[in-house]
Amino acid sequence: MNAAKSGRPARIVQHGLFIDGHEVPASGGELLDVLNPACGEVIARVAHAGAEDVHGAVQSARQAFESKEWGGLSVRTRARLINKLADSFEADLDSLYALETLNNGRPIAETRAQIGRLPDFFRYNAGLALARRDAVIPVEGPYLTYTVRTPIGVVGNATPFNHPLMIMCKSLAPVFASGCTTVVKPSEYTPLTTLRLAALFSEAGLPPGVFNVVTGLGPTTGKALAEHAGLAKVVLTGGTEAGRIVAGLAGKNFARQTLELGGKSPVIVFDDYDVEQAVNYAAFGAFIGAGQTCVCASRHIVQRSIYDAFVERLAAKARSIRIGDPADPATQLGPVISAKQQQRVLNYVKIGQDEGARLAAGGKVPADPALARGFYVEPTVFSDVKPEMRIAQEEVFGPFTVVLPFDDEEEAIRIANNSPFGLAGGVRTRDVHRAHRVAARLRLGIVWINDHHRLDPASPWGGVAESGIGKEFGSESFDEHFDVKTVMVSTEDKPFDWYRDTAKQKRLN
């Protein structure tokens, strides 16, 4: 793989933190290397923010929240600005496509498909702001009772490496639309597009301090952000263990939390569904983003009458996927994010073999010498898997899926729900009655019927159990950025003296 083809820059760019509308150095001066996972080369260095830097970013966000330039904007003026930001985002898409692919290794075709939709997240939330209504509540007695919503304040947002821009934007859009402000801590692996977007929005007129970025490691920068008493809300997309840590830190300050954590998505395939179509969805669900998605189709639960055909065709499909340089439009599967993640996937291949499952496809590093310096793993399929096996229970976060057989609907649902996670899953059937019946019984936050990994700014997103708490997208996420105040007005002007005739009064004190 030559440098020009992989998109490696001629020089290594250094980035500071983005606080109060401009780039600033970190107080400690330490820099972290950022790698291109396709070739292992350093492509940038970013500042490592300490607690002092995080505090400065939160203070900047608080000042912006209370300022006339942001906090004092009318709803309509803010909505117009957010739409302007979306236009600016859209105008810069080509450079963001290239930078995101360079930084996280997703094939350019995938990156274009995903990032191209993100400006609409902002437009949708700007629409929610304009359409917002407070409630008038009918209560007993001569009273007018209504609610008033006020934005909560500063939101801390910790984003992962797998979808850096998309996952940030799904939080950023309701933050802006509600009138809140934010401090974002991107993954140390993939901070570059986050920094770029912050600068882009500043150039487009976003007031200083509304959108701050602190780069660094989770145990230092992330911890300082999560435990900061100045945050009204913490948003994290990451692993379940990271979620437990962040929940504990933020909970000490009673900050609201939205945690989108791990998953082990079940996909139930019934025998009335076209096998070839089921395999196509399976390959997409399991291998898009090199399997590094929280909703990766990692457990395929297939009716026994079509089980062998499904495994055979999925294995063939996996072997046909073109692995290569993510900057090449012909590439269908890029690298995982790091050498550590590559080894994790390979470790699970060994675990599966040791447990007695059959490796039907993949499970190795590609033999192509041009890919040797990158963090690649072949798309991997295991069959003859039992529900209690580790490879059927634990999140791998790579191009790795397992196939399990079932005989009837009850068994399929039982296997699907046999997991500590509850983020997303799928049902493949032509029977409309069964589709709704099974979807209702799956303990998941999201169910796709005859599709996979489909989302929309208007559709709530989030899981249950060890997959997290809270919802992103939709009016649900927007509403979570407000405090609700109840105002109760007496509409009668009668004399009142509680202590003169207490016994005869009815009142909920």
Side-chain angles (χ1 to χ4, degrees):
M1 180 187 300
N2 59 58
K5 189 177 181 184
S6 67
R8 180 154 46 98
R11 64 185 180 90
I12 297 172
V13 180
Q14 293 189 4
H15 296 277
L17 313 174
F18 194 88
I19 298 175
D20 209 34
H22 59 278
E23 187 175 316
V24 298
S27 57
E30 181 185 0
L31 296 173
L32 303 174
D33 288 345
V34 179
L35 306 183
N36 177 354
C39 61
E41 296 286 344
V42 176
I43 53 174
R45 293 190 174 95
V46 297
H48 187 184
E52 179 183 338
D53 303 306
V54 170
H55 180 65
V58 174
Q59 281 189 314
S60 172
R62 187 69 204 181
Q63 290 167 1
F65 176 71
E66 296 173 349
S67 71
K68 292 181 179 178
E69 292 77 13
W70 180 252
L73 292 180
S74 70
V75 172
R76 292 187 179 279
T77 301
R78 184 181 301 114
R80 284 196 296 269
L81 175 56
I82 293 168
N83 279 308
K84 181 182 176 184
L85 298 180
D87 293 341
S88 178
F89 192 154
E90 207 159 57
D92 201 50
L93 281 175
D94 284 341
S95 67
L96 289 169
Y97 295 151
L99 187 58
E100 183 114 322
T101 289
L102 178 72
N103 195 180
N104 82 338
R106 289 195 74 173
I108 190 70
E110 290 184 14
T111 302
R112 285 179 175 276
Q114 184 182 80
I115 294 180
R117 295 191 63 209
L118 299 188
D120 284 340
F121 285 23
F122 295 91
R123 297 183 178 114
Y124 171 76
N125 277 271
L128 286 180
L130 291 173
R132 194 189 85 186
R133 297 288 186 273
D134 288 307
V136 175
I137 304 168
V139 299
E140 184 178 7
Y143 296 95
L144 169 66
T145 302
Y146 61 92
T147 60
V148 177
R149 287 189 288 177
T150 56
I152 56 176
V154 182
V155 178
N157 189 8
T159 60
F161 64 78
N162 54 339
H163 310 294
L165 271 182
M166 190 272 284
I167 288 176
M168 179 184 63
C169 288
K170 70 182 181 182
S171 174
L172 205 60
V175 163
F176 291 170
S178 63
C180 292
T181 58
T182 190
V183 179
V184 177
K185 204 296 279 186
S187 167
E188 61 270 25
Y189 290 110
T190 55
L192 301 185
T193 49
T194 299
L195 289 165
R196 171 60 189 152
L197 195 66
L200 186 71
F201 281 177
S202 180
E203 294 164 7
L206 189 67
V210 176
F211 179 12
N212 305 277
V213 182
V214 289
T215 51
L217 303 176
T220 50
T221 313
K223 178 177 182 291
L225 182 61
E227 67 185 3
H228 199 286
L231 298 185
K233 179 180 172 71
V234 172
V235 180
L236 167 75
T237 299
T240 298
E241 290 309 311
R244 287 193 175 98
I245 294 169
V246 167
L249 294 171
K252 293 178 182 178
N253 297 314
F254 300 104
R256 302 184 190 194
Q257 299 173 35
T258 297
L259 308 174
E260 202 256 63
L261 308 177
K264 193 71 176 177
S265 299
V267 178
I268 301 174
V269 183
F270 289 96
D271 61 7
D272 66 332
Y273 195 75
D274 180 75
V275 174
E276 198 66 35
Q277 183 80 330
V279 165
N280 290 340
Y281 274 125
F284 168 76
F287 306 134
I288 193 82
Q292 298 171 120
T293 69
C294 48
V295 296
C296 170
S298 51
R299 290 187 296 150
H300 287 90
I301 304 161
V302 180
Q303 198 151 22
R304 197 174 298 275
S305 57
I306 59 169
Y307 180 82
D308 290 340
F310 182 94
V311 170
E312 180 183 352
R313 294 186 192 186
L314 180 58
K317 186 78 173 180
R319 288 190 288 266
S320 74
I321 292 173
R322 293 191 296 274
I323 308 171
D325 178 6
D328 184 345
T331 292
Q332 296 175 323
L333 184 76
V336 295
I337 193 63
S338 66
K340 179 181 178 181
Q341 193 65 24
Q342 180 190 48
Q343 189 56 54
R344 175 182 171 86
V345 179
L346 296 175
N347 288 345
Y348 272 99
V349 172
K350 185 176 186 306
I351 289 168
Q353 291 173 318
D354 290 346
E355 288 182 310
R358 182 174 73 89
L359 181 61
K364 303 186 296 297
V365 172
D368 185 351
L371 306 178
R373 293 163 60 199
F375 312 129
Y376 293 88
V377 181
E378 293 176 343
T380 299
V381 179
F382 269 98
S383 64
D384 301 339
V385 176
K386 297 179 180 178
E388 65 273 12
M389 289 181 175
R390 288 182 62 188
I391 59 171
Q393 288 289 320
E394 299 175 11
E395 186 175 38
V396 177
F397 224 65
F400 187 108
T401 193
V402 304
V403 191
L404 307 91
F406 75 89
D407 289 306
D408 58 33
E409 185 177 307
E410 286 298 319
E411 184 184 14
I413 294 169
R414 186 167 59 250
I415 294 171
N417 286 335
N418 178 25
S419 171
F421 300 107
L423 182 54
V427 180
R428 310 284 183 258
T429 181
R430 296 298 182 193
D431 184 334
V432 65
H433 305 288
R434 178 161 59 192
H436 290 291
R437 185 172 64 241
V438 173
R441 293 184 60 192
L442 294 177
R443 292 195 294 269
L444 303 168
I446 308 160
V447 178
W448 291 290
I449 296 172
N450 300 339
D451 207 326
H452 201 86
H453 205 164
R454 193 73 181 178
L455 57 86
D456 189 272
S459 180
W461 179 283
V464 299
E466 291 193 10
S467 289
I469 56 174
K471 293 291 185 183
E472 297 184 281
F473 299 131
S475 59
E476 288 81 358
S477 177
F478 177 76
D479 289 343
E480 278 296 305
H481 291 79
F482 293 92
D483 286 318
V484 178
K485 180 187 300 181
T486 301
V487 180
M488 184 174 277
V489 183
S490 173
T491 59
E492 286 188 350
D493 189 16
K494 287 185 175 180
F496 174 77
D497 185 348
W498 173 263
Y499 296 101
R500 183 174 179 179
D501 196 12
T502 304
K504 294 182 179 180
Q505 297 187 48
K506 294 180 179 180
R507 189 178 184 96
L508 293 172
N509 294 321

